[in-house]
């Protein structure tokens, strides 16, 4: 699932950090949207694929954030 994320602009890394901090604030919409324990990764992180695999092996949902604010939610594989 991909959803737009409102931000003032910037890099994928900046938007990922924005989402991380918003998800910690129970009064923000991101707190309801991002599953508890999810990992948030910038789409342009040089080790993105490695991070996604690692977090999914841990059973965590991964939210990949693009520089334009799109959020892709990747559920861990079902065992």
């Amino acid at each position: 699932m991909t959803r737009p994320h409102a931000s003032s602009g910037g890099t994928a890394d900046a938007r990922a950090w924005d989402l991380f901090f918003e998800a910690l604030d129970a009064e923000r919409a991101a707190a309801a949207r991002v599953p508890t324990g999810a990992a948030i990764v910038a789409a342009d992180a040089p080790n993105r694929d490695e991070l996604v695999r690692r977090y999914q092996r841990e059973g965590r949902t991964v939210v990949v954030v693009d520089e334009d604010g799109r959020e892709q939610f990747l559920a861990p594989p079902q065992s």
Side-chain angles (χ1 to χ4, degrees), residues 1 4 7 12 18 29 33 37 40-41 47 59 64-65 68 72-73 76 79:
M1 161 174 44
S7 179
D18 286 347
R33 177 170 83 244
I40 300 172
V41 177
N47 59 341
V64 179
V65 182
D68 65 1
Q72 183 179 14
F73 290 72
S79 22

Side-chain angles (χ1 to χ4, degrees), residues 38-78:
I40 300 172
V41 177
D44 60 1
N47 59 341
R48 179 193 68 198
D49 293 338
E50 177 186 330
L51 290 170
V52 169
R53 283 191 298 273
R54 185 179 94 205
Y55 292 135
Q56 287 189 318
R57 274 194 310 269
E58 294 173 359
R60 298 170 68 184
T61 296
V62 179
V63 184
V64 179
V65 182
D66 291 330
E67 76 176 24
D68 65 1
R70 287 180 295 156
E71 300 166 357
Q72 183 179 14
F73 290 72
L74 305 173
Q78 299 297 316

